[in-house]
Amino acid sequence: MGRVTASILKPGMVLSKPVFNDYRQQLADAGTILDTRVISLLQTWGVIDVEVQGIAEPTLQEIDMRMSTSSTLQECAAIIEDRFYGADQHVFVMELQRLVKLSALKEAEGEGALRV
Amino acid sequence: MIPELLTGEPALVVERIHDLPTLPEVYQRLSSTIDNPFFSLWEIERIIRQDPVITARLLHFVNSPLYSLNTPVATVSEAIRTVGYDALKQLILTTSVIDMFQQEQHGALSIHTFWEHCLGTAAAARQLASWIGAECPEEFFVAGLLHDIGKLIHNHYAPDKFRTVVALATAERLTLEAAEQKVLGFSHTQTGGFLVHRWGLSPAIQRAVAYHHSPSVPDLLSPTLHEHVVHCADLISIGLGLGFSGSCHFPPFVPLSWEVLRLSSGHLAEVLRATQREVTHLMTILFGDYAE
């Protein structure tokens, strides 16, 4: 189980927790199998992230591991780490670094994401 | 007025502060017209039309992918109605400030990468402000855009010393602020805060510029939200590698800022995506070709 951003939801994923809008109205229950209609509903209400079964966002360590598999990715990781030289180990800074690295990894894997 | 900005050792920059640039007349006229509750679209249009450069940029801006319009906008009045008055003020301030320092090509900072960093901070600040439901996200954009303006003042008025600052930050891997304190005895946050005060920008923008590296505890007497937003936005711009701020060390993070904003990882991911997209468009509009 893990929290994923609504923009990457795909039909067939299963919600592990109910989803509410800002007015505390339930949009979908736990166990709902996502289809295009439900995904569209969640996106229309501006839902940012949801809990789904069997899928978790990769951790910084997992991303680092995947980025160590080729010299190009290692170089890319080194550029990003250089930007974060001396950074505090706060959850915001760590998450920022994780998202930037994840994006670079996805771009390298052809999924299209942020540039490095 | 922020009293702290004027304390401390008398500095070369502050001694020559009477030479500091002023905001262009078109911005001041537009701003005072919009602040009048009885202004008309016709008055605004007349002010814009008197400046052909601003007219061209407004039309370029409104027809850019930032607005994704189905039909191109060809008239100034339609462009004003599309972007809104707050965004119009922000656009004119942005183009005016960038033009003001356009000749600074030989200092210690690359103007192009400097503005890329500032536009990244501005775009991230506006995104963060929108997500937390803050009023007038355009004001956060301006605060982000101007947060490092003190560096340009140092670059212009104390070029040799500022070259030493940048060299020290590079050699010892310091934040630019730390290097400024060692060489100048004060930092760009103080000079920048003084400048935006002189320009008569809002107290919230003054505080954001002066305290973006050290946002303070929220209280009821002073507007502190902008400084927390710009603090986070600055780090987002650095993390995304948008331009170069002159720092060779990631700035210290004040955890209180993230507690004030209360955003999730999903929000942060959305802010990063939108920031990068917006910077690409803004750099293209303001500087022509933008190499991603």
Side-chain angles (χ1 to χ4, degrees):
Chain A
M1 183 178 83
R3 202 156 187 87
V4 298
T5 54
S7 56
I8 61 161
L9 290 176
K10 292 190 174 78
M13 289 178 172
V14 181
L15 292 177
S16 53
K17 282 190 179 171
V19 182
F20 297 89
N21 63 15
D22 289 343
Y23 303 102
R24 304 303 301 157
Q25 295 165 321
Q26 187 172 308
L27 301 177
D29 202 357
T32 301
I33 301 169
L34 297 181
D35 56 22
T36 51
R37 190 190 61 81
V38 178
I39 293 171
S40 172
L41 175 75
L42 300 181
Q43 288 171 348
T44 303
W45 274 103
V47 172
I48 289 298
D49 41 19
V50 296
E51 298 265 1
V52 294
Q53 291 177 7
I55 293 175
E57 290 263 323
T59 64
L60 186 56
Q61 289 72 23
E62 287 165 346
I63 295 167
D64 281 340
M65 195 101 81
R66 282 160 66 181
M67 291 189 92
S68 66
T69 54
S70 82
S71 58
T72 312
L73 283 171
Q74 283 171 8
E75 206 176 303
C76 186
I79 292 170
I80 295 170
E81 280 158 17
D82 193 56
R83 284 179 209 156
F84 285 85
Y85 174 82
D88 298 314
Q89 301 292 298
H90 182 271
V91 61
F92 164 71
V93 180
M94 301 296 287
E95 185 59 10
L96 177 60
Q97 189 174 5
R98 188 188 75 82
L99 289 169
V100 172
K101 279 188 171 173
L102 178 61
S103 182
L105 183 63
K106 282 180 177 175
E107 189 169 72
E109 289 173 349
E111 288 185 35
L114 306 167
R115 73 184 167 91
V116 179
Chain B
M1 184 64 209
I2 304 169
E4 294 93 317
L5 299 179
L6 294 177
T7 61
E9 199 168 310
L12 173 63
V13 173
V14 179
E15 280 170 17
R16 298 179 64 180
I17 212 82
H18 62 275
D19 288 341
L20 283 176
T22 53
L23 286 177
E25 197 195 340
V26 62
Y27 176 78
Q28 294 178 21
R29 284 171 57 209
L30 185 78
S31 201
S32 61
T33 305
I34 290 174
D35 289 344
N36 177 347
F38 303 108
F39 76 91
S40 68
L41 174 64
W42 179 81
E43 284 175 274
I44 304 288
E45 188 184 348
R46 195 168 53 87
I47 294 170
I48 300 294
R49 277 188 177 285
Q50 285 169 358
D51 191 321
V53 175
I54 286 178
T55 302
R57 282 205 177 131
L58 172 62
L59 292 171
H60 189 174
F61 182 67
V62 76
N63 287 307
S64 76
L66 283 172
Y67 283 87
S68 308
L69 301 175
N70 291 328
T71 330
V73 168
T75 67
V76 171
S77 60
E78 201 184 340
I80 295 169
R81 277 195 298 269
T82 305
V83 302
Y85 298 120
D86 287 334
L88 179 67
K89 267 172 74 178
Q90 169 242 299
L91 173 69
I92 290 171
L93 185 68
T94 302
T95 56
S96 304
V97 174
I98 290 175
D99 287 348
M100 202 181 281
F101 294 98
Q102 202 59 291
Q103 75 278 16
E104 307 278 323
Q105 300 293 351
H106 305 294
L109 284 177
S110 151
I111 291 299
H112 193 270
T113 57
F114 171 82
W115 283 120
E116 187 183 355
H117 166 69
C118 294
L119 287 167
T121 306
R126 175 161 54 198
Q127 289 295 328
L128 290 170
S130 297
W131 279 115
I132 62 174
E135 282 180 28
C136 195
E138 300 302 334
E139 193 179 32
F140 290 81
F141 181 96
V142 172
L145 179 79
L146 300 177
H147 78 289
D148 273 348
I149 194 82
K151 291 177 187 172
L152 283 186
I153 300 300
H154 294 174
N155 197 39
H156 182 80
Y157 288 93
D160 292 338
K161 281 194 173 181
F162 195 59
R163 217 169 269 122
T164 309
V165 167
V166 173
L168 180 67
T170 308
E172 296 189 14
R173 295 220 67 164
L174 302 173
T175 63
L176 201 75
E177 193 184 24
E180 283 173 328
Q181 290 291 356
K182 282 189 175 185
V183 175
L184 302 170
F186 58 94
S187 88
H188 64 277
T189 58
Q190 293 164 286
T191 317
F194 189 83
L195 178 63
V196 294
H197 167 71
R198 284 278 290 265
W199 282 351
L201 298 180
S202 72
I205 293 176
Q206 290 180 38
R207 288 193 62 94
V209 173
Y211 301 120
H212 70 270
H213 285 308
S214 53
S216 48
V217 177
D219 66 51
L220 295 174
L221 300 175
S222 51
T224 61
L225 184 58
H226 293 64
E227 60 207 62
H228 288 287
V229 167
V230 173
H231 178 58
C232 293
D234 184 25
L235 304 197
I236 287 172
S237 187
I238 293 170
L240 282 171
L242 296 170
F244 180 56
S245 69
S247 281
C248 294
H249 186 291
F250 199 79
F253 180 63
V254 176
L256 178 64
S257 292
W258 198 235
E259 290 166 28
V260 168
L261 301 191
R262 289 189 196 177
L263 293 176
S264 68
S265 168
H267 287 109
L268 185 57
E270 293 296 323
V271 168
L272 300 192
R273 257 189 288 276
T275 297
Q276 195 146 62
R277 195 169 49 237
E278 189 171 344
V279 169
T280 301
H281 295 316
L282 288 173
M283 287 296 288
T284 306
I285 293 168
L286 296 166
F287 293 96
D289 289 341
Y290 177 52
E292 290 189 32

